[in-house]
């Protein structure tokens, strides 16, 4: 057991090693910086990137005409009027060079006749989504970036290093304080510039497609460091997450690629296709966007027309067996091992928490308005507005990562020496003795996930949101200010405490912003305020003032102000 303080010095600190963090690190190192990459999990294996199966949206125009401006327009339409246009433009305009650079690094984008091939996905006006194969795109992206990162000189990598807080000195972020999970030691990383790329928050929800490292740490870290969060009410639910029968060893969002290939019929318990009642006649095709799909399924369930486990049926029974085998390949055998024969039965699907449109406010240089502090990937809010298009998240991670790495390196180049920050309070917290008697943290995590799923899910009312706020406030009191567990080697109870500390803060912001937005738009549907209202053509910005979260309306795309 060691609780001795370790101190590290670097030009650029990158927190998180998904696609965004790894690209940022590569870019900053290519600019000549010493880079330190910290991840609470294994490098390149802890977040959503390595789990993503399917497609990456980009106007490559290899097979057929396309232009980034068409992708941009589709992104704005899907965002229901709330996109930060500068970020949406960056994502769509810089997607092609990033995808081509990844191609050069050997990611293996699928090709037809020598050209990188693209598939159609809902919300895009033409086939625009590249992939490696439909089940391995994320692992291939992650592996390619890991290889490039390992080959890049000047990068130090540290896994098992959970960042607990950023260090703010005066106007600037000057590094971070972390907890080394394996030894229990506090670690202070002094940095000229910091890139936060910690991914999303779907662990707040009981049914989610992500990993245990996606509890929204980055949003809480940024808030405490004085940054602004925007659009926090917009949590994306993926409509057709697998629900039943039980499926072992498969991804809950695995049905999407097969809907790309085969369409498939989304049915209620009367055997009827129902999406036309919600404005989108699919007729066996796959065109419904995620926000409308989620809404339609949940409304069918509420009307008593849901499947036995509370979702909808997805059926491929009308597709000939040989076509199914052609599309699904060996997956057919894995389904058979789980007792699923798609020629004879539908499966049940239901919305599952999947992605966060909201996040840390940034400009198109990925700057947060706080000196030396940059953000990248899903941690950034605004590019996708109220609803994200399929495939935009990996593009966002690559493009924003590259941009953040560049900006951080440029800023670091303006400083002669590495500033030494004061992280005493966080170091004391990491090393503190825990209270003797503590509640069950695993049960608290489940409770929080239930509160968020039941009362802050896709369909919301003031009554449920108020109830959630109260429950979150009660849990914050229960959690207290002193970490549970011990300051020794890997202690899951202490990790739960730090996780809950952040998750409760972030859950409160999601709930408060959802309560304030008295309209329905994209992923945020208020049953007591149906329909989009022009006065809500604004973003909501959340900040921490005197320890309390304050929220205000801000005109779209003006969220980043120098602080
Ligand atoms: C199952 C699944 C399938 C998906 N499929 C697609 C798809 O087909 N196409 C698409 O465009 N998008 C898809 N997405 C979304 C997309 O994968 C993500 O939005 C994107 O990969 C996010 O990349 P990122 O680098 O921002 O974050 P991540 O890849 O999530 O990486 C964040 C990293 O930060 C680390 N971290 C978090 N907190 C801390 C801390 N306190 N200290 C240190 N490290 C920390 C985590 O361990 C993790 O390694 C999918 C997501 C999931 C979950």
């Amino acid at each position: 057991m060691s609780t001795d303080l370790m101190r590290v010095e670097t030009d650029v600190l990158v927190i998180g090693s998904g696609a965004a963090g790894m690209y940022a690190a590569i870019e900053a190192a290519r600019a000549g910086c010493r880079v330190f990459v910290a991840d609470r999990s294994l490098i390149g294996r802890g977040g959503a990137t390595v789990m993503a199966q399917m497609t990456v949206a980009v106007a490559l125009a290899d097979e057929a005409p396309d232009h980034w401006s068409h992708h941009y327009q589709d992104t704005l339409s899907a965002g229901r009027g709330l996109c930060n246009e500068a970020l949406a433009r960056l994502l769509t305009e810089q997607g092609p060079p990033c995808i081509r650079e990844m191609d050069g690094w050997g990611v293996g984008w699928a090709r037809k006749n020598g050209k990188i091939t693209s598939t159609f996905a809902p919300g895009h006006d033409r086939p625009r989504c590249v992939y490696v194969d439909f089940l391995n795109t994320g692992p291939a992206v992650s592996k390619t970036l890991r290889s490039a990162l390992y080959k890049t000189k000047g990068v130090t990598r540290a896994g098992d290093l959970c960042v607990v807080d950023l260090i703010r000195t005066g106007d600037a972020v000057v590094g971070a304080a972390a907890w080394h999970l394996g030894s229990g030691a506090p670690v202070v990383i002094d940095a000229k510039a910091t890139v936060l790329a910690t991914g999303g928050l779907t662990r707040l929800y009981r049914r989610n497609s992500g990993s245990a490292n996606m509890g929204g740490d980055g949003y809480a870290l940024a808030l405490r460091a004085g940054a602004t969060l925007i659009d926090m009410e917009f949590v994306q639910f993926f409509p057709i997450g697998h629900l039943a029968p039980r499926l072992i060893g498969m991804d809950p969002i695995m049905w999407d690629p097969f809907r790309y290939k085969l369409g498939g019929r989304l049915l209620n318990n009367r055997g009827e296709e129902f999406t036309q009642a919600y404005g989108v006649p699919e007729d066996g095709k796959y065109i419904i966007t995620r926000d409308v799909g989620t809404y339609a399924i949940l409304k069918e369930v509420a009307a008593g027309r849901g499947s036995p486990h509370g979702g909808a049926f997805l059926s491929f029974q009308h597709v000939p067996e040989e076509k199914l085998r052609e599309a699904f390949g060996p997956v057919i055998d894995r389904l058979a091992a789980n007792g699923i024969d798609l020629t004879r039965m539908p499966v049940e699907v239901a919305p599952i928490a999947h992605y966060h449109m909201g996040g840390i406010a940034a400009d198109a240089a990925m700057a947060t308005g706080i000196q030396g502090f940059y953000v990248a990937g899903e941690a950034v809010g605004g590019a996708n507005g109220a609803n994200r298009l399929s495939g935009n998240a990996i593009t966002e991670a690559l493009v924003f990562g590259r941009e953040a790495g560049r900006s951080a390196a440029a800023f670091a180049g303006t400083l002669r020496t590495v500033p030494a920050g004061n992280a005493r309070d966080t170091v004391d917290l990491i090393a503190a003795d825990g209270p003797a008697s503590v509640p069950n943290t695993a049960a608290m995590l489940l409770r929080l996930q239930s509160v968020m799923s039941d009362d802050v899910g896709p369909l919301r009312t003031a009554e449920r949101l108020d109830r959630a706020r109260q429950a979150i406030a009660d849990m914050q009191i229960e959690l207290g200010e002193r970490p549970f567990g011990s300051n020794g080697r890997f202690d899951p109870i202490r990790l739960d405490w730090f996780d809950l500390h952040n998750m409760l803060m972030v859950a409160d912001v999601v709930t408060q912003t959802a309560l304030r937005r008295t309209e329905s738009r994209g992923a945020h549907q208020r049953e007591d305020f149906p329909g989009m209202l022009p006065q809500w053509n604004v973003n909501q910005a959340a900040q921490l003032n005197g320890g309390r979260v304050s929220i205000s309306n801000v005109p779209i795309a003006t969220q980043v102000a120098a602080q």
Side-chain angles (χ1 to χ4, degrees):
M1 174 166 104
S2 161
T3 51
D4 291 344
L5 174 68
M6 290 193 256
R7 201 143 194 150
V8 177
E9 201 187 89
T10 188
D11 295 327
V12 175
L13 164 65
V14 176
I15 306 168
S17 64
M22 288 194 281
Y23 221 134
I26 292 166
E27 197 64 21
R30 286 200 290 210
C33 288
R34 291 172 304 160
V35 179
F36 187 88
V37 184
D39 198 293
R40 56 181 283 165
S41 179
L42 299 172
I43 294 293
R45 292 185 168 91
T49 304
V50 76
M51 304 172 77
Q53 299 179 330
M54 302 172 298
T55 57
V56 184
V58 59
L60 272 193
D62 259 26
E63 274 184 321
D66 198 357
H67 188 262
W68 68 263
S69 57
H70 303 309
H71 184 191
Y72 173 67
Q73 285 307 330
D74 287 348
T75 299
L76 297 191
S77 310
R80 317 282 180 229
L82 287 197
C83 292
N84 176 322
E85 293 183 6
L87 293 183
R89 176 172 178 153
L90 180 73
L91 188 167
T92 51
E93 194 174 12
Q94 292 304 313
C98 282
I99 293 305
R100 294 211 189 275
E101 180 157 62
M102 292 288 293
D103 195 43
W105 286 337
V107 68
W109 301 125
R111 282 183 151 76
K112 281 187 188 152
N113 304 321
K115 300 198 189 278
I116 298 177
T117 187
S118 297
T119 188
F120 178 80
H124 293 277
D125 70 348
R126 66 196 75 200
R128 182 177 291 133
C129 292
V130 302
Y131 54 93
V132 172
D133 71 40
F134 275 140
L135 291 177
N136 284 307
T137 298
V141 165
S142 198
K143 182 168 177 250
T144 304
L145 285 168
R146 273 197 321 267
S147 305
L149 185 72
Y150 288 18
K151 285 183 201 147
T152 306
K153 286 207 172 65
V155 181
T156 305
R157 306 176 304 269
D160 270 351
L161 197 55
C162 184
V163 171
V164 174
D165 254 321
L166 300 169
I167 307 171
R168 178 145 181 186
T169 301
D171 293 340
V173 165
V174 293
W179 176 37
H180 184 245
L181 301 175
S183 64
V187 180
V188 171
I189 308 136
D190 295 310
K192 291 177 178 172
T194 300
V195 177
L196 187 77
T198 42
L201 52 58
T202 48
R203 191 189 180 199
L204 290 181
Y205 291 85
R206 193 173 44 218
R207 236 172 85 74
N208 69 70
S209 65
S211 78
N213 302 306
M214 292 159 64
D217 281 0
Y219 308 125
L221 262 58
L223 260 189
R224 289 197 291 268
T228 303
L229 304 185
I230 61 145
D231 290 348
M232 291 297 283
E233 64 273 39
F234 295 108
V235 178
Q236 181 164 72
F237 281 72
F238 176 82
I240 53 169
H242 185 81
L243 184 62
R246 192 156 176 242
L247 193 53
I248 295 167
M250 310 276 288
D251 188 320
I253 70 159
M254 61 161 286
W255 295 111
D256 222 27
F258 302 112
R259 287 211 83 196
Y260 291 152
K261 289 186 183 179
L262 301 171
R265 295 190 192 282
L266 209 49
L267 306 169
N268 61 20
N269 65 13
R270 297 175 180 166
E272 302 160 343
E273 281 191 275
F274 55 83
T275 57
Q276 69 281 1
Y278 304 89
V280 187
E282 286 206 301
D283 195 22
K285 297 188 290 295
Y286 184 27
I287 51 175
I288 199 162
T289 53
R290 292 178 176 182
D291 52 354
V292 183
T294 294
Y295 182 80
I297 292 174
L298 293 180
K299 280 294 185 187
E300 286 298 294
V301 174
R305 296 189 292 271
S307 63
H309 293 84
F313 292 107
L314 176 63
S315 172
F316 296 98
Q317 282 165 275
H318 58 291
V319 180
E321 192 169 349
E322 60 285 2
K323 276 208 169 251
L324 280 174
R325 165 98 24 212
E326 195 188 317
F328 281 72
V331 175
I332 283 281
D333 303 318
R334 275 156 79 184
L335 290 171
N338 282 279
I340 297 173
D341 176 353
L342 293 175
T343 61
R344 291 165 176 273
M345 60 193 280
V347 291
E348 287 180 62
V349 293
I352 188 168
H354 182 56
Y355 172 85
H356 192 39
M357 271 75 72
I360 304 157
D363 64 17
M366 297 295 116
T368 58
I370 300 175
Q371 266 185 43
F373 182 32
Y374 302 87
V375 285
E378 193 172 332
V380 179
N384 297 287
N387 176 50
R388 169 176 73 85
L389 282 181
S390 303
N392 265 11
I394 293 182
T395 318
E396 165 187 82
L398 300 171
V399 170
F400 291 3
R402 190 175 70 150
E403 202 59 37
R406 267 182 204 167
S407 299
F411 180 80
T414 65
L415 301 184
R416 277 168 174 255
T417 54
V418 179
N422 177 358
R424 192 172 307 130
D425 288 351
T426 311
V427 168
D428 287 349
L429 197 68
I430 293 167
D433 289 327
S437 158
V438 297
N440 180 334
T441 50
M444 283 181 82
L445 279 161
L446 287 177
R447 227 158 77 215
L448 174 61
Q449 289 176 324
S450 297
V451 166
M452 293 303 286
S453 303
D454 297 342
D455 290 339
V456 199
L459 303 184
R460 301 162 172 181
T461 62
E463 191 191 348
R464 285 190 220 140
L465 292 165
D466 272 330
R467 189 165 61 202
R469 276 210 74 192
Q470 189 55 54
I472 292 165
D474 291 347
M475 288 178 73
Q476 281 175 320
I477 292 167
E478 200 179 339
L479 192 74
E481 295 299 325
R482 233 171 97 203
F484 303 162
S486 75
N487 57 15
R489 284 177 193 278
F490 185 81
D491 181 343
I493 292 178
R494 179 148 292 202
L495 186 57
D496 282 352
W497 187 90
F498 278 112
D499 285 351
L500 276 163
H501 188 56
N502 288 337
M503 288 168 80
L504 285 165
M505 175 182 262
V506 176
D508 181 46
V509 180
V510 174
T511 309
Q512 283 202 53
T513 47
L515 193 56
R516 275 183 99 252
R517 184 174 283 278
T518 46
E519 65 151 2
S520 292
R521 188 185 291 255
H524 167 78
Q525 293 293 320
R526 285 286 299 261
E527 298 201 276
D528 43 358
F529 291 98
M532 266 168 58
L533 297 173
Q535 63 267 36
W536 276 109
N537 277 340
V538 289
N539 299 113
Q540 296 194 75
Q543 285 179 317
L544 211 54
N545 288 322
R548 291 181 68 85
V549 173
S550 68
I551 298 167
S552 56
N553 294 358
V554 289
I556 292 163
T558 60
Q559 311 93 353
V560 181
Q563 312 185 28

